[in-house]
Amino acid sequence: EEIQIQGRTARQGKKGSYQMILLESNLQETFQLPPGEKDNIPKQARYEWLSDARNKMHSVHCLSMEEDLQVATEKDERTHRFFDALLLGDA
């Protein structure tokens, strides 16, 4: 998304510029980053640092979704077995 924003700052061969403004409380809340950590990252490396934090949170979220899906699938299979048993009169 930021790459698209960067590209939109330059038009018709003219050089553009942009600035990324980071709200520290949002970094803490969204990415669980400790306060002041961004100040330890050189400005040239902040985009990559933020992107890594975003990717890590995405991976954690995906893992959680996969675990939830596995639990839901197991419950669904038990439900199907129960209803099959009901239909056969085995419940």
Side-chain angles (χ1 to χ4, degrees):
E1 191 173 298
E2 291 84 6
I3 302 297
Q4 182 180 15
I5 292 168
Q6 291 173 22
R8 291 187 179 276
T9 63
R11 287 286 181 238
Q12 298 178 353
K14 295 180 183 174
K15 187 176 179 180
S17 66
Y18 86 105
Q19 233 178 356
M20 188 183 310
I21 299 173
L22 305 173
L23 181 61
E24 187 145 16
S25 61
N26 188 264
L27 296 175
Q28 291 171 274
E29 200 174 296
T30 306
F31 302 113
Q32 284 79 48
L33 297 171
E37 183 172 338
K38 73 171 176 37
D39 299 328
N40 298 326
I41 308 298
K43 285 185 180 183
Q44 314 84 291
R46 282 190 188 159
Y47 179 80
E48 185 176 345
W49 167 76
L50 184 59
S51 182
D52 289 344
R54 181 186 303 147
N55 290 339
K56 180 181 175 186
M57 288 305 298
H58 180 72
S59 294
V60 167
H61 178 70
C62 287
L63 182 59
S64 175
M65 285 180 60
E66 288 175 10
E67 290 169 353
D68 291 346
L69 179 60
Q70 183 176 356
V71 169
T73 300
E74 290 168 2
K75 287 180 180 180
D76 181 61
E77 289 170 355
R78 283 196 304 266
T79 301
H80 281 277
R81 285 194 301 270
F82 175 72
F83 281 115
D84 289 346
L86 280 177
L87 291 173
L88 294 172
D90 292 339

